[in-house]
Amino acid sequence: MTMAQHLAQRKWHLFVALVRTLVGCCAVAISAHAALPAPQMLDSARPSFEIHNDLQTLLEAGPSAGIAAIAAGTRGPFAAQAANTIFPLTENHTLWIRLRLASSDASPPDWSLCIPLPYLDHAVLYQADGHGSWTTQLAGDINPVSQWTRPGLYPEFRLSWPKGGVSEVYLQIRNFKPLGIPLRLASVSARETQRELEYTAIGVVLGALLMLMGVCTIQYLVTEDAADGWYTVYIVLMMVVISSATGVSGQWLWPHSPVWSNYSFMALPLLGVGATVLFARHMCALEVGFPRFARCMHGLGWISLPLALLSIFIDRASANNIQAAYLALAPVLTVAGTVATWRRGNPVGKWLFMAYLPQGLAVIFLTAQMFNLVPTFWEVRYAMVLALVISIPLVLHALHLRTRMRHEAEERASSLSRQDALTGLLVKPLFMEHVQETLERALHDKVSSAVVLVEVMNHAHLREAYGEAVAEQCLLRAVVKLHRVLRDVDPAGRVDTSRFGLILDGVSSRQALSERMVSLIASGLVPLPGLKPEVTLQFHIACVLLNETIPDPRTILDQLADVLDHISPRSRRPIRFLEPLNTVPAPLQVDSGFTADDTGSFMAPGAST
């Protein structure tokens, strides 16, 4: 082959390669043009909506090439992905989303694009300015909220282009873990209405919790009950958790601290869940019936402190998985503890179950989102806030119920030294104090009163015939019948096994007292319901009217007991009175044994001074 032929062949190969390149470029351009999706229409008929169509996405690995390279296609073509796709993001990946938007002549000129995820790390919107460059809008919690283009609860961007035109915008998304990206479009006026509603609802929630915190603080200052104080701290922590979950704290409390803002989205919920576990364990008193379970919940609650610091020592993705497992386990054990308390018969468990079940379901669903088991639903965040708000007053009611039950138990324990354990009446020493006070009033103030000693005469027979349990039940029925003839202010005490002492104020005649005692005797003769064979109570009664006689307080019960002992078991007069003591009148003249000569105080008749 000559040199000329060789050159001609090389020219031919170069020409073929050039033609192939041109054909390939044209095919790529044609396919790329054909692959462009239909633009998303924006019109006034639908002023606010969430994008559910397929999204044009591109996932970059490593450092990002920038918007110019992405728009030019040097990083590859965009691919269609479902709107609810969970994108496999890591700290080394960048997600690009291309949106083609078109508006009609009747649509509003300005629109808003928002991503309702306060915990999204980084988001930048790129929009062509028509002069060959790009305008950028910044958001994301790794950036200070004060430096966002539009500071708010979550990333939000303003869109604007001529009416009737089509515009392309690019979203650059970065996050340390896989995430679904919900996109909401709204006209500026519709979006402002949404912002006002969101801020108003969150303000009402936080304001109500603030008022509840004030009430609990006042209650704690008045009662000095540690439970009220700890519940006040619990409400404060729940307020901080709610403000962080909704993005309020990032915008208003720490807008210049992106490190804490980013860290708090996981640390504060962990602390809130840990505090809930500890508070539920304390309220349910699990150490009484379930000591091992109580120790488990105690450790589970306190372990939230080191878990909240875990992302400082290991990478965020691994720490997030461990923390998510904790968030899934803690609500399950908390609800199980409330169920165990409820089944044990404690009414506190019922209210705690109703308080923590919705909250636990919301936390478990959020945990499932963290593990990418379910699509990302941004509305769940507000459902969790609502569940927290519902749980606060329910837990407060359970706290007050538990406090009331504890006070009642303390009162019963303190009354054991004052009241008979079986009947609830006063013990004998305390009843004798009332008797002495009654005798003193009758002696000095002439107050009409009566002291009565009542005996269940057939108690010994009932015990021998039916046993101790039936005999004790009969005594309880006798006490119930005694209360029917007593006023609330009349003291009554158990002075012996089957004898009861009564003090009846305002009784001044034997007839009035007898009428009341007759009704007591008649009620005892009615067979007791629920006992087979039929059992009746036979009362014997000894009385003393203090307007007739005032006995010695040291012997009054002995005197009345002596009267009872003289009543025959088959007597037709079961009511007897203590009769006044018979006194011997003194003589009118008494010889003292002294004469006028024995004393100078009495002069003899006719004696002169």
Side-chain angles (χ1 to χ4, degrees):
M1 182 181 292
T2 63
M3 182 63 68
Q5 292 175 340
H6 181 69
L7 291 175
Q9 187 176 8
R10 290 189 61 185
K11 290 179 180 179
W12 173 254
H13 288 307
L14 290 174
F15 176 75
V16 172
L18 179 61
V19 171
R20 288 179 177 177
T21 301
L22 292 176
V23 172
C25 291
C26 293
V28 169
I30 293 173
S31 61
H33 179 74
L36 287 177
Q40 183 73 51
M41 291 299 299
L42 307 178
D43 53 39
S44 57
R46 194 169 54 159
S48 176
F49 62 94
E50 183 174 345
I51 297 178
H52 295 290
N53 301 332
D54 290 349
L55 301 176
Q56 296 294 312
T57 64
L58 173 65
L59 189 63
E60 263 189 309
S64 178
I67 180 60
I70 294 299
T74 59
R75 281 287 192 172
F78 281 76
Q81 295 281 350
N84 60 353
T85 300
I86 297 177
F87 299 98
L89 294 172
T90 66
E91 293 180 346
N92 298 320
H93 287 83
T94 303
L95 174 67
W96 292 89
I97 300 178
R98 181 176 62 190
L99 298 176
R100 300 186 72 243
L101 306 174
S103 60
S104 62
D105 295 336
S107 68
D110 296 328
W111 286 73
S112 177
L113 173 65
C114 61
I115 308 174
L117 301 176
Y119 48 85
L120 181 63
D121 282 352
H122 181 77
V124 181
L125 178 76
Y126 294 93
Q127 186 174 9
D129 60 357
H131 302 287
S133 59
W134 299 87
T135 61
T136 61
Q137 299 181 52
L138 177 68
D141 65 359
I142 64 172
N143 308 297
V145 178
S146 58
Q147 296 181 9
W148 289 11
T149 306
R150 290 184 59 79
L153 303 178
Y154 41 77
E156 182 177 347
F157 311 101
R158 181 65 62 86
L159 305 174
S160 180
W161 61 86
K163 291 183 179 181
V166 177
S167 177
E168 283 190 353
V169 296
Y170 292 84
L171 270 175
Q172 183 190 45
I173 305 295
R174 291 175 184 167
N175 201 59
F176 75 97
K177 65 174 184 176
L179 190 67
I181 309 298
L183 300 176
R184 298 176 64 196
L185 287 166
S187 64
V188 171
S189 59
R191 179 59 192 151
E192 290 302 320
T193 302
Q194 293 174 0
R195 287 168 61 94
E196 291 176 0
L197 290 176
E198 285 178 336
Y199 282 113
T200 301
I202 296 173
V204 169
V205 169
L206 295 178
L209 293 181
L210 186 63
M211 293 178 63
L212 186 59
M213 182 194 69
V215 172
C216 292
T217 302
I218 296 174
Q219 184 74 12
Y220 169 70
L221 295 176
V222 172
T223 63
E224 296 184 355
D225 190 350
D228 291 324
W230 284 114
Y231 191 68
T232 303
V233 176
Y234 178 76
I235 293 177
V236 173
L237 182 58
M238 291 300 104
M239 290 176 60
V240 175
V241 171
I242 290 175
S243 64
S244 175
T246 55
V248 173
S249 57
Q251 183 179 1
W252 300 107
L253 298 183
W254 40 76
H256 306 290
S257 178
V259 176
W260 170 246
S261 179
N262 187 27
Y263 173 75
S264 65
F265 278 113
M266 181 53 68
L268 290 178
L270 280 172
L271 296 178
V273 171
T276 300
V277 171
L278 292 175
F279 195 81
R281 172 190 175 274
H282 174 71
M283 291 285 293
C284 294
L286 294 173
E287 61 275 3
V288 177
F290 311 94
R292 294 182 180 178
F293 188 55
R295 288 194 295 269
C296 178
M297 290 193 66
H298 184 266
L300 187 68
W302 285 110
I303 204 175
S304 62
L305 293 176
L307 285 180
L309 304 175
L310 192 61
S311 59
I312 299 177
F313 305 100
I314 63 176
D315 63 282
R316 290 181 64 192
S318 300
N320 179 80
N321 292 333
I322 298 174
Q323 292 165 344
Y326 174 83
L327 291 179
L329 177 63
V332 174
L333 293 184
T334 301
V335 174
T338 62
V339 172
T341 304
W342 190 2
R343 293 187 61 184
R344 196 174 56 185
N346 191 341
V348 173
K350 177 182 67 174
W351 294 101
L352 292 179
F353 175 79
M354 292 189 294
Y356 289 135
L357 180 61
Q359 180 180 338
L361 292 177
V363 172
I364 290 174
F365 192 87
L366 287 174
T367 304
Q369 287 187 351
M370 295 171 66
F371 282 117
N372 303 321
L373 300 177
V374 295
T376 301
F377 294 100
W378 58 271
E379 298 90 348
V380 178
R381 183 176 72 256
Y382 291 105
M384 185 191 69
V385 171
L386 180 61
L388 282 174
V389 172
I390 293 175
S391 69
I392 294 295
L394 291 176
V395 174
L396 180 61
H397 176 73
L399 175 64
H400 288 170
L401 180 61
R402 179 181 178 274
T403 302
R404 185 167 65 250
M405 293 171 58
R406 188 179 73 249
H407 288 168
E408 291 176 354
E410 292 175 352
E411 290 178 359
R412 288 194 299 269
S414 63
S415 65
L416 291 177
S417 60
R418 300 182 292 106
Q419 294 180 340
D420 179 63
L422 176 62
T423 62
L425 300 179
L426 297 174
V427 294
K428 184 177 180 179
L430 192 58
F431 177 73
M432 291 305 300
E433 293 180 5
H434 285 278
V435 171
Q436 186 170 0
E437 293 175 0
T438 303
L439 294 176
E440 290 177 357
R441 291 200 310 269
L443 180 62
H444 297 289
D445 301 332
K446 306 302 180 182
V447 177
S448 299
S449 300
V451 179
V452 180
L453 190 62
V454 179
E455 180 183 19
V456 181
M457 190 273 299
N458 60 337
H459 174 262
H461 171 72
L462 294 175
R463 182 167 54 189
E464 294 177 0
Y466 304 109
E468 190 67 32
V470 174
E472 289 184 353
Q473 187 175 1
C474 291
L475 287 181
L476 293 176
R477 300 292 181 90
V479 172
V480 173
K481 297 179 183 300
L482 286 177
H483 283 297
R484 295 177 182 175
V485 299
L486 289 173
R487 299 178 303 173
D488 293 338
V489 295
D490 292 334
R494 187 183 184 188
V495 298
D496 204 345
T497 303
S498 59
R499 290 183 176 181
F500 307 98
L502 313 177
I503 298 176
L504 306 176
D505 290 330
V507 179
S508 58
S509 66
R510 292 192 176 189
Q511 181 180 357
L513 181 57
S514 298
E515 291 176 355
R516 296 173 68 174
M517 295 302 104
V518 166
S519 64
L520 173 62
I521 294 172
S523 65
L525 297 177
V526 177
L528 297 179
L531 291 180
K532 297 294 183 179
E534 294 183 351
V535 175
T536 59
L537 303 177
Q538 299 178 14
F539 292 108
H540 283 182
I541 302 170
C543 315
V544 58
L545 290 174
L546 300 185
N547 59 351
E548 294 180 354
T549 180
I550 300 180
D552 188 339
R554 295 169 297 181
T555 61
I556 182 173
L557 289 186
D558 294 335
Q559 297 178 47
L560 292 174
D562 185 65
V563 173
L564 284 177
D565 293 338
H566 286 81
I567 302 178
S568 172
R570 298 184 178 277
S571 175
R572 295 187 178 182
R573 289 196 308 117
I575 304 175
R576 303 291 176 89
F577 286 86
L578 183 64
E579 300 296 338
L581 295 176
N582 293 324
T583 57
V584 179
L588 296 178
Q589 294 182 355
V590 178
D591 185 3
S592 63
F594 291 94
T595 63
D597 296 333
D598 295 327
T599 177
S601 300
F602 300 93
M603 305 301 295
S608 60
T609 58

